[in-house]
PDB file of all heavy atoms in Angstrom:
ATOM      1  N   ALA A 116     117.580  99.353  72.949  1.00 97.00           N
ATOM      2  CA  ALA A 116     118.187  99.521  71.679  1.00 97.00           C
ATOM      3  C   ALA A 116     117.567  98.532  70.679  1.00 97.00           C
ATOM      4  O   ALA A 116     117.274  98.841  69.470  1.00 97.00           O
ATOM      5  CB  ALA A 116     119.715  99.257  71.801  1.00 97.00           C
ATOM      6  N   LEU A 117     117.325  97.259  71.172  1.00 97.00           N
ATOM      7  CA  LEU A 117     116.765  96.230  70.233  1.00 97.00           C
ATOM      8  C   LEU A 117     115.298  96.513  69.937  1.00 97.00           C
ATOM      9  O   LEU A 117     114.741  96.028  68.997  1.00 97.00           O
ATOM     10  CB  LEU A 117     116.970  94.874  70.885  1.00 97.00           C
ATOM     11  CG  LEU A 117     118.446  94.358  70.872  1.00 97.00           C
ATOM     12  CD1 LEU A 117     118.521  92.958  71.522  1.00 97.00           C
ATOM     13  CD2 LEU A 117     118.958  94.308  69.397  1.00 97.00           C
ATOM     14  N   TRP A 118     114.671  97.295  70.829  1.00 96.00           N
ATOM     15  CA  TRP A 118     113.274  97.654  70.478  1.00 96.00           C
ATOM     16  C   TRP A 118     113.215  98.919  69.627  1.00 96.00           C
ATOM     17  O   TRP A 118     112.415  99.024  68.749  1.00 96.00           O
ATOM     18  CB  TRP A 118     112.530  98.020  71.835  1.00 96.00           C
ATOM     19  CG  TRP A 118     111.159  98.533  71.671  1.00 96.00           C
ATOM     20  CD1 TRP A 118     110.036  97.825  71.428  1.00 96.00           C
ATOM     21  CD2 TRP A 118     110.781  99.939  71.682  1.00 96.00           C
ATOM     22  NE1 TRP A 118     108.905  98.679  71.322  1.00 96.00           N
ATOM     23  CE2 TRP A 118     109.398  99.992  71.484  1.00 96.00           C
ATOM     24  CE3 TRP A 118     111.453 101.187  71.849  1.00 96.00           C
ATOM     25  CZ2 TRP A 118     108.655 101.155  71.403  1.00 96.00           C
ATOM     26  CZ3 TRP A 118     110.746 102.312  71.757  1.00 96.00           C
ATOM     27  CH2 TRP A 118     109.354 102.332  71.555  1.00 96.00           C
ATOM     28  N   GLY A 119     114.240  99.791  69.836  1.00 95.00           N
ATOM     29  CA  GLY A 119     114.297 101.073  69.094  1.00 95.00           C
ATOM     30  C   GLY A 119     114.553 100.796  67.586  1.00 95.00           C
ATOM     31  O   GLY A 119     114.003 101.547  66.768  1.00 95.00           O
ATOM     32  N   ARG A 120     115.387  99.811  67.290  1.00 95.00           N
ATOM     33  CA  ARG A 120     115.762  99.531  65.902  1.00 95.00           C
ATOM     34  C   ARG A 120     114.515  99.263  65.000  1.00 95.00           C
ATOM     35  O   ARG A 120     114.283  99.985  63.992  1.00 95.00           O
ATOM     36  CB  ARG A 120     116.824  98.459  65.792  1.00 95.00           C
ATOM     37  CG  ARG A 120     117.233  98.131  64.375  1.00 95.00           C
ATOM     38  CD  ARG A 120     118.157  99.280  63.898  1.00 95.00           C
ATOM     39  NE  ARG A 120     118.665  99.088  62.538  1.00 95.00           N
ATOM     40  CZ  ARG A 120     117.962  99.452  61.443  1.00 95.00           C
ATOM     41  NH1 ARG A 120     116.796 100.068  61.546  1.00 95.00           N
ATOM     42  NH2 ARG A 120     118.507  99.288  60.225  1.00 95.00           N
ATOM     43  N   PRO A 121     113.645  98.299  65.327  1.00 93.00           N
ATOM     44  CA  PRO A 121     112.494  98.094  64.507  1.00 93.00           C
ATOM     45  C   PRO A 121     111.391  99.216  64.662  1.00 93.00           C
ATOM     46  O   PRO A 121     110.599  99.397  63.731  1.00 93.00           O
ATOM     47  CB  PRO A 121     111.890  96.735  65.005  1.00 93.00           C
ATOM     48  CG  PRO A 121     112.497  96.514  66.336  1.00 93.00           C
ATOM     49  CD  PRO A 121     113.759  97.263  66.359  1.00 93.00           C
ATOM     50  N   THR A 122     111.422  99.948  65.800  1.00 92.00           N
ATOM     51  CA  THR A 122     110.331 100.906  66.042  1.00 92.00           C
ATOM     52  C   THR A 122     110.742 102.287  65.585  1.00 92.00           C
ATOM     53  O   THR A 122     109.931 102.939  64.857  1.00 92.00           O
ATOM     54  CB  THR A 122     109.968 100.926  67.562  1.00 92.00           C
ATOM     55  OG1 THR A 122     109.857  99.572  68.006  1.00 92.00           O
ATOM     56  CG2 THR A 122     108.641 101.641  67.812  1.00 92.00           C
ATOM     57  N   TRP A 123     111.924 102.748  65.970  1.00 91.00           N
ATOM     58  CA  TRP A 123     112.355 104.068  65.579  1.00 91.00           C
ATOM     59  C   TRP A 123     113.259 104.059  64.314  1.00 91.00           C
ATOM     60  O   TRP A 123     113.494 105.109  63.758  1.00 91.00           O
ATOM     61  CB  TRP A 123     113.175 104.740  66.705  1.00 91.00           C
ATOM     62  CG  TRP A 123     112.469 105.016  67.960  1.00 91.00           C
ATOM     63  CD1 TRP A 123     111.105 105.127  68.183  1.00 91.00           C
ATOM     64  CD2 TRP A 123     113.014 105.137  69.212  1.00 91.00           C
ATOM     65  NE1 TRP A 123     110.803 105.358  69.510  1.00 91.00           N
ATOM     66  CE2 TRP A 123     112.010 105.418  70.181  1.00 91.00           C
ATOM     67  CE3 TRP A 123     114.373 105.163  69.730  1.00 91.00           C
ATOM     68  CZ2 TRP A 123     112.233 105.563  71.512  1.00 91.00           C
ATOM     69  CZ3 TRP A 123     114.589 105.368  71.103  1.00 91.00           C
ATOM     70  CH2 TRP A 123     113.561 105.584  71.987  1.00 91.00           C
ATOM     71  N   GLY A 124     113.802 102.914  64.025  1.00 92.00           N
ATOM     72  CA  GLY A 124     114.755 102.853  62.915  1.00 92.00           C
ATOM     73  C   GLY A 124     116.189 103.095  63.403  1.00 92.00           C
ATOM     74  O   GLY A 124     117.082 103.223  62.556  1.00 92.00           O
ATOM     75  N   ALA A 125     116.421 103.156  64.641  1.00 94.00           N
ATOM     76  CA  ALA A 125     117.748 103.443  65.202  1.00 94.00           C
ATOM     77  C   ALA A 125     117.988 102.692  66.528  1.00 94.00           C
ATOM     78  O   ALA A 125     117.043 102.670  67.335  1.00 94.00           O
ATOM     79  CB  ALA A 125     117.954 104.943  65.400  1.00 94.00           C
ATOM     80  N   TYR A 126     119.181 102.179  66.656  1.00 96.00           N
ATOM     81  CA  TYR A 126     119.496 101.507  67.960  1.00 96.00           C
ATOM     82  C   TYR A 126     119.665 102.536  69.068  1.00 96.00           C
ATOM     83  O   TYR A 126     119.349 102.292  70.204  1.00 96.00           O
ATOM     84  CB  TYR A 126     120.804 100.683  67.796  1.00 96.00           C
ATOM     85  CG  TYR A 126     120.659  99.439  66.992  1.00 96.00           C
ATOM     86  CD1 TYR A 126     121.201  99.348  65.706  1.00 96.00           C
ATOM     87  CD2 TYR A 126     120.005  98.295  67.529  1.00 96.00           C
ATOM     88  CE1 TYR A 126     121.103  98.159  65.004  1.00 96.00           C
ATOM     89  CE2 TYR A 126     119.903  97.134  66.809  1.00 96.00           C
ATOM     90  CZ  TYR A 126     120.457  97.036  65.544  1.00 96.00           C
ATOM     91  OH  TYR A 126     120.367  95.909  64.813  1.00 96.00           O
ATOM     92  N   TRP A 127     120.193 103.702  68.685  1.00 95.00           N
ATOM     93  CA  TRP A 127     120.575 104.662  69.736  1.00 95.00           C
ATOM     94  C   TRP A 127     120.396 106.078  69.156  1.00 95.00           C
ATOM     95  O   TRP A 127     120.672 106.325  67.988  1.00 95.00           O
ATOM     96  CB  TRP A 127     122.038 104.481  70.120  1.00 95.00           C
ATOM     97  CG  TRP A 127     122.481 105.502  71.134  1.00 95.00           C
ATOM     98  CD1 TRP A 127     123.122 106.597  70.922  1.00 95.00           C
ATOM     99  CD2 TRP A 127     122.323 105.369  72.540  1.00 95.00           C
ATOM    100  NE1 TRP A 127     123.335 107.296  72.114  1.00 95.00           N
ATOM    101  CE2 TRP A 127     122.795 106.529  73.136  1.00 95.00           C
ATOM    102  CE3 TRP A 127     121.695 104.374  73.326  1.00 95.00           C
ATOM    103  CZ2 TRP A 127     122.798 106.775  74.504  1.00 95.00           C
ATOM    104  CZ3 TRP A 127     121.704 104.627  74.734  1.00 95.00           C
ATOM    105  CH2 TRP A 127     122.235 105.788  75.264  1.00 95.00           C
ATOM    106  N   VAL A 128     119.834 106.949  70.005  1.00 94.00           N
ATOM    107  CA  VAL A 128     119.838 108.356  69.676  1.00 94.00           C
ATOM    108  C   VAL A 128     120.253 109.097  70.951  1.00 94.00           C
ATOM    109  O   VAL A 128     120.041 108.545  72.095  1.00 94.00           O
ATOM    110  CB  VAL A 128     118.403 108.821  69.238  1.00 94.00           C
ATOM    111  CG1 VAL A 128     118.075 108.503  67.839  1.00 94.00           C
ATOM    112  CG2 VAL A 128     117.331 108.440  70.227  1.00 94.00           C
ATOM    113  N   TRP A 129     120.859 110.311  70.818  1.00 95.00           N
ATOM    114  CA  TRP A 129     121.313 111.001  71.944  1.00 95.00           C
ATOM    115  C   TRP A 129     120.109 111.872  72.587  1.00 95.00           C
ATOM    116  O   TRP A 129     120.241 113.029  72.692  1.00 95.00           O
ATOM    117  CB  TRP A 129     122.527 111.920  71.687  1.00 95.00           C
ATOM    118  CG  TRP A 129     123.687 111.083  71.411  1.00 95.00           C
ATOM    119  CD1 TRP A 129     124.254 110.750  70.206  1.00 95.00           C
ATOM    120  CD2 TRP A 129     124.572 110.396  72.341  1.00 95.00           C
ATOM    121  NE1 TRP A 129     125.301 109.922  70.324  1.00 95.00           N
ATOM    122  CE2 TRP A 129     125.563 109.704  71.664  1.00 95.00           C
ATOM    123  CE3 TRP A 129     124.532 110.328  73.750  1.00 95.00           C
ATOM    124  CZ2 TRP A 129     126.513 108.959  72.314  1.00 95.00           C
ATOM    125  CZ3 TRP A 129     125.541 109.557  74.413  1.00 95.00           C
ATOM    126  CH2 TRP A 129     126.474 108.890  73.676  1.00 95.00           C
ATOM    127  N   ASP A 130     119.085 111.094  72.918  1.00 91.00           N
ATOM    128  CA  ASP A 130     117.888 111.646  73.467  1.00 91.00           C
ATOM    129  C   ASP A 130     118.082 111.810  75.058  1.00 91.00           C
ATOM    130  O   ASP A 130     118.907 111.076  75.602  1.00 91.00           O
ATOM    131  CB  ASP A 130     116.860 110.611  73.069  1.00 91.00           C
ATOM    132  CG  ASP A 130     115.610 110.627  73.886  1.00 91.00           C
ATOM    133  OD1 ASP A 130     115.558 110.075  74.951  1.00 91.00           O
ATOM    134  OD2 ASP A 130     114.594 111.189  73.373  1.00 91.00           O
ATOM    135  N   ALA A 131     117.379 112.717  75.668  1.00 93.00           N
ATOM    136  CA  ALA A 131     117.580 112.899  77.076  1.00 93.00           C
ATOM    137  C   ALA A 131     117.382 111.710  77.944  1.00 93.00           C
ATOM    138  O   ALA A 131     118.166 111.412  78.822  1.00 93.00           O
ATOM    139  CB  ALA A 131     116.685 114.078  77.536  1.00 93.00           C
ATOM    140  N   ARG A 132     116.337 110.894  77.719  1.00 94.00           N
ATOM    141  CA  ARG A 132     116.094 109.753  78.484  1.00 94.00           C
ATOM    142  C   ARG A 132     117.167 108.691  78.277  1.00 94.00           C
ATOM    143  O   ARG A 132     117.696 108.110  79.231  1.00 94.00           O
ATOM    144  CB  ARG A 132     114.720 109.121  78.042  1.00 94.00           C
ATOM    145  CG  ARG A 132     114.321 107.826  78.570  1.00 94.00           C
ATOM    146  CD  ARG A 132     114.199 107.798  80.083  1.00 94.00           C
ATOM    147  NE  ARG A 132     113.143 108.507  80.736  1.00 94.00           N
ATOM    148  CZ  ARG A 132     111.910 107.993  80.931  1.00 94.00           C
ATOM    149  NH1 ARG A 132     111.558 106.810  80.471  1.00 94.00           N
ATOM    150  NH2 ARG A 132     110.997 108.656  81.620  1.00 94.00           N
ATOM    151  N   LEU A 133     117.552 108.463  77.022  1.00 95.00           N
ATOM    152  CA  LEU A 133     118.618 107.466  76.765  1.00 95.00           C
ATOM    153  C   LEU A 133     119.955 107.877  77.331  1.00 95.00           C
ATOM    154  O   LEU A 133     120.630 107.084  77.980  1.00 95.00           O
ATOM    155  CB  LEU A 133     118.777 107.191  75.276  1.00 95.00           C
ATOM    156  CG  LEU A 133     117.751 106.194  74.677  1.00 95.00           C
ATOM    157  CD1 LEU A 133     116.324 106.726  74.664  1.00 95.00           C
ATOM    158  CD2 LEU A 133     118.163 105.826  73.215  1.00 95.00           C
ATOM    159  N   THR A 134     120.306 109.164  77.181  1.00 96.00           N
ATOM    160  CA  THR A 134     121.609 109.632  77.617  1.00 96.00           C
ATOM    161  C   THR A 134     121.676 109.589  79.182  1.00 96.00           C
ATOM    162  O   THR A 134     122.665 109.182  79.705  1.00 96.00           O
ATOM    163  CB  THR A 134     121.865 111.055  77.114  1.00 96.00           C
ATOM    164  OG1 THR A 134     121.636 111.084  75.731  1.00 96.00           O
ATOM    165  CG2 THR A 134     123.262 111.544  77.421  1.00 96.00           C
ATOM    166  N   SER A 135     120.552 110.013  79.830  1.00 96.00           N
ATOM    167  CA  SER A 135     120.617 109.976  81.333  1.00 96.00           C
ATOM    168  C   SER A 135     120.625 108.537  81.811  1.00 96.00           C
ATOM    169  O   SER A 135     121.183 108.237  82.874  1.00 96.00           O
ATOM    170  CB  SER A 135     119.443 110.733  81.888  1.00 96.00           C
ATOM    171  OG  SER A 135     118.219 110.350  81.337  1.00 96.00           O
ATOM    172  N   SER A 136     120.026 107.621  81.084  1.00 97.00           N
ATOM    173  CA  SER A 136     120.098 106.211  81.479  1.00 97.00           C
ATOM    174  C   SER A 136     121.492 105.655  81.248  1.00 97.00           C
ATOM    175  O   SER A 136     121.923 104.836  82.088  1.00 97.00           O
ATOM    176  CB  SER A 136     119.085 105.381  80.557  1.00 97.00           C
ATOM    177  OG  SER A 136     117.786 105.813  80.817  1.00 97.00           O
ATOM    178  N   LEU A 137     122.138 106.091  80.196  1.00 98.00           N
ATOM    179  CA  LEU A 137     123.577 105.618  80.048  1.00 98.00           C
ATOM    180  C   LEU A 137     124.403 106.169  81.206  1.00 98.00           C
ATOM    181  O   LEU A 137     125.277 105.457  81.719  1.00 98.00           O
ATOM    182  CB  LEU A 137     124.049 106.160  78.693  1.00 98.00           C
ATOM    183  CG  LEU A 137     125.578 105.877  78.395  1.00 98.00           C
ATOM    184  CD1 LEU A 137     125.845 104.417  78.305  1.00 98.00           C
ATOM    185  CD2 LEU A 137     126.016 106.558  77.049  1.00 98.00           C
ATOM    186  N   LEU A 138     124.137 107.412  81.594  1.00 98.00           N
ATOM    187  CA  LEU A 138     124.918 108.042  82.732  1.00 98.00           C
ATOM    188  C   LEU A 138     124.661 107.198  84.007  1.00 98.00           C
ATOM    189  O   LEU A 138     125.544 107.051  84.843  1.00 98.00           O
ATOM    190  CB  LEU A 138     124.407 109.481  82.906  1.00 98.00           C
ATOM    191  CG  LEU A 138     125.122 110.311  83.936  1.00 98.00           C
ATOM    192  CD1 LEU A 138     126.630 110.421  83.588  1.00 98.00           C
ATOM    193  CD2 LEU A 138     124.550 111.698  84.085  1.00 98.00           C
ATOM    194  N   LEU A 139     123.387 106.682  84.144  1.00 98.00           N
ATOM    195  CA  LEU A 139     123.115 105.884  85.376  1.00 98.00           C
ATOM    196  C   LEU A 139     123.947 104.617  85.353  1.00 98.00           C
ATOM    197  O   LEU A 139     124.554 104.243  86.413  1.00 98.00           O
ATOM    198  CB  LEU A 139     121.596 105.455  85.377  1.00 98.00           C
ATOM    199  CG  LEU A 139     121.197 104.677  86.575  1.00 98.00           C
ATOM    200  CD1 LEU A 139     121.218 105.501  87.821  1.00 98.00           C
ATOM    201  CD2 LEU A 139     119.760 104.095  86.382  1.00 98.00           C
ATOM    202  N   LEU A 140     124.128 103.980  84.216  1.00 98.00           N
ATOM    203  CA  LEU A 140     125.038 102.774  84.129  1.00 98.00           C
ATOM    204  C   LEU A 140     126.491 103.189  84.493  1.00 98.00           C
ATOM    205  O   LEU A 140     127.123 102.414  85.190  1.00 98.00           O
ATOM    206  CB  LEU A 140     124.994 102.170  82.701  1.00 98.00           C
ATOM    207  CG  LEU A 140     125.879 101.031  82.450  1.00 98.00           C
ATOM    208  CD1 LEU A 140     125.607  99.828  83.324  1.00 98.00           C
ATOM    209  CD2 LEU A 140     125.869 100.576  80.953  1.00 98.00           C
ATOM    210  N   LEU A 141     126.901 104.323  83.959  1.00 98.00           N
ATOM    211  CA  LEU A 141     128.291 104.827  84.301  1.00 98.00           C
ATOM    212  C   LEU A 141     128.445 105.052  85.789  1.00 98.00           C
ATOM    213  O   LEU A 141     129.486 104.842  86.353  1.00 98.00           O
ATOM    214  CB  LEU A 141     128.678 105.973  83.374  1.00 98.00           C
ATOM    215  CG  LEU A 141     128.699 105.780  81.948  1.00 98.00           C
ATOM    216  CD1 LEU A 141     129.011 107.007  81.161  1.00 98.00           C
ATOM    217  CD2 LEU A 141     129.717 104.660  81.566  1.00 98.00           C
ATOM    218  N   LEU A 142     127.399 105.644  86.397  1.00 98.00           N
ATOM    219  CA  LEU A 142     127.403 105.881  87.856  1.00 98.00           C
ATOM    220  C   LEU A 142     127.568 104.632  88.627  1.00 98.00           C
ATOM    221  O   LEU A 142     128.307 104.570  89.612  1.00 98.00           O
ATOM    222  CB  LEU A 142     126.136 106.659  88.309  1.00 98.00           C
ATOM    223  CG  LEU A 142     126.136 108.137  88.022  1.00 98.00           C
ATOM    224  CD1 LEU A 142     124.800 108.729  88.154  1.00 98.00           C
ATOM    225  CD2 LEU A 142     127.110 108.821  88.973  1.00 98.00           C
TER     226      LEU A 142
END
Side-chain angles (χ1 to χ4, degrees):
Chain A
L117 288 180
W118 175 82
R120 183 70 182 88
T122 314
W123 296 338
Y126 286 107
W127 180 264
V128 284
W129 291 100
D130 161 277
R132 173 60 70 85
L133 275 67
T134 309
S135 51
S136 299
L137 176 64
L138 187 60
L139 183 69
L140 175 62
L141 297 178
L142 279 166

